[in-house]
């Protein structure tokens, strides 16, 4: 059976949320978010950098959340979450899958600055810069979400799990209340059963 390697609170939540949205069967392997548990020889043989998410499906091993999203959609979607080549939303679907990481890298920088780096070694400049870039990377979604409920229109698709997780991460560090359409979108996402289960 397909297996997802996951850490609570990490980007693997995207893959977990998507699997719950799809309703497919899989095994969940939850690892502790620590060097001891992510750098074992066993786990490094699956995920070469010892990061999450990682998906194993028979002979397939994948360790990048956007690629996992695309793979799952290509193989297991029932028509709701994927936009295949040739569909009118295909290009936007691809863009948002990858744009999710443009947002998340700033969130990850803030996790390092505010959680993992010892207080005396943290940088105010880096924190301000990353917070600003994080805010701007989400602000660009505001006009789009003012016009429609989800990134591709009125229907929820897989890209909303990628971007939705990035907004979820961002909200731990920045105030998005000035972005009313983004906040309303976020509320719609977190009220989904699959999001709550993945959380
Ligand atoms: N771009 C990758 C990022 C994966 C990644 O860096 N995951 C973090 C958790 S959010 C991780 O596993 N960090 C552990 C480490 O760096 O040791 C993806 O989206 O899958």
């Amino acid at each position: 059976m397909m297996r997802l390697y996951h850490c609570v609170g990490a980007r693997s939540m995207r893959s977990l949320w998507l699997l719950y949205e799809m309703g497919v069967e899989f095994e969940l392997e939850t690892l502790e978010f620590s060097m001891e548990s992510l750098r074992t020889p066993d786990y490094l043989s699956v995920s070469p950098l010892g990061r999450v998410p990682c998906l194993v499906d028979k002979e397939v091993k994948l360790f990048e959340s956007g690629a996992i999203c695309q793979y799952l959609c290509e193989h297991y979607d029932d028509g709701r979450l994927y936009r295949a080549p040739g569909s009118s939303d295909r290009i936007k679907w691809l863009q948002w899958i990858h744009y999710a990481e443009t947002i998340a890298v700033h969130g990850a920088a803030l996790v390092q600055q505010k959680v993992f780096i010892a207080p005396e070694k943290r940088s105010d400049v880096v924190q301000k810069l990353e917070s600003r870039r994080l805010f701007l990377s989400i602000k660009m979604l505001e006009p789009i979400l003012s016009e429609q409920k989800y990134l591709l229109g009125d229907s929820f698709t897989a890209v909303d799990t990628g971007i939705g997780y990035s907004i979820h991460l961002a909200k731990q560090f920045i105030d998005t209340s000035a972005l009313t359409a983004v906040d309303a979108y976020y509320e719609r996402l977190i009220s989904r059963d699959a999001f709550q289960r993945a959380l």
Side-chain angles (χ1 to χ4, degrees):
M1 194 188 297
M2 184 158 49
R3 171 177 290 206
L4 177 71
Y5 293 86
H6 166 63
C7 291
V8 173
R11 270 170 273 192
S12 48
M13 187 183 160
R14 287 179 179 142
S15 316
L16 185 57
W17 178 8
L18 181 59
L19 283 161
Y20 285 141
E21 292 282 355
M22 291 180 149
V24 293
E25 276 193 39
F26 65 100
E27 281 172 3
L28 180 60
E29 177 89 26
T30 305
L31 303 170
E32 200 185 294
F33 195 80
S34 69
M35 293 302 111
E36 295 74 48
S37 116
L38 292 172
R39 300 293 190 274
T40 61
D42 261 9
Y43 189 56
L44 289 172
S45 74
V46 183
S47 175
L49 289 180
R51 297 189 189 183
V52 286
C54 182
L55 184 84
V56 179
D57 188 18
K58 298 186 194 89
E59 71 288 350
V60 171
K61 279 184 195 166
L62 272 174
F63 53 79
E64 187 67 43
S65 62
I68 291 172
C69 177
Q70 186 165 350
Y71 172 82
L72 287 173
C73 285
E74 284 174 6
H75 291 82
Y76 296 101
D77 180 45
D78 61 7
R80 290 174 297 130
L81 304 166
Y82 184 39
R83 295 296 180 267
S87 80
S88 58
D89 284 338
R90 169 65 175 186
I91 302 301
K92 284 184 182 160
W93 191 87
L94 278 179
Q95 176 184 270
W96 295 130
I97 288 282
H98 296 283
Y99 189 74
E101 276 299 272
T102 293
I103 302 174
V105 288
H106 302 303
L110 290 169
V111 171
Q112 285 189 341
Q113 282 292 323
K114 293 183 187 256
V115 182
F116 290 115
I117 295 178
E120 68 280 7
K121 294 191 175 153
R122 293 175 189 170
S123 158
D124 281 348
V125 174
V126 173
Q127 287 185 41
K128 274 192 193 137
L129 185 71
E130 293 295 342
S131 301
R132 181 75 188 141
R133 284 163 70 79
L134 180 58
F135 182 80
L136 291 176
S137 68
I138 293 175
K139 185 178 175 219
M140 68 82 88
L141 302 172
E142 179 72 7
I144 299 162
L145 294 167
S146 304
E147 301 281 314
Q148 57 198 45
K149 279 169 71 180
Y150 298 101
L151 286 166
L152 294 186
D154 282 336
S155 306
F156 176 90
T157 67
V159 298
D160 296 300
T161 62
I163 299 278
Y165 169 77
S166 296
I167 296 173
H168 176 70
L169 171 67
K171 278 180 155 291
Q172 296 167 39
F173 301 110
I174 59 167
D175 177 12
T176 58
S177 57
L179 309 175
T180 52
V182 167
D183 271 9
Y185 168 71
Y186 180 69
E187 290 302 319
R188 274 194 291 283
L189 296 181
I190 66 173
S191 68
R192 299 180 73 84
D193 288 347
F195 178 95
Q196 288 299 327
R197 277 184 85 185
L199 194 63

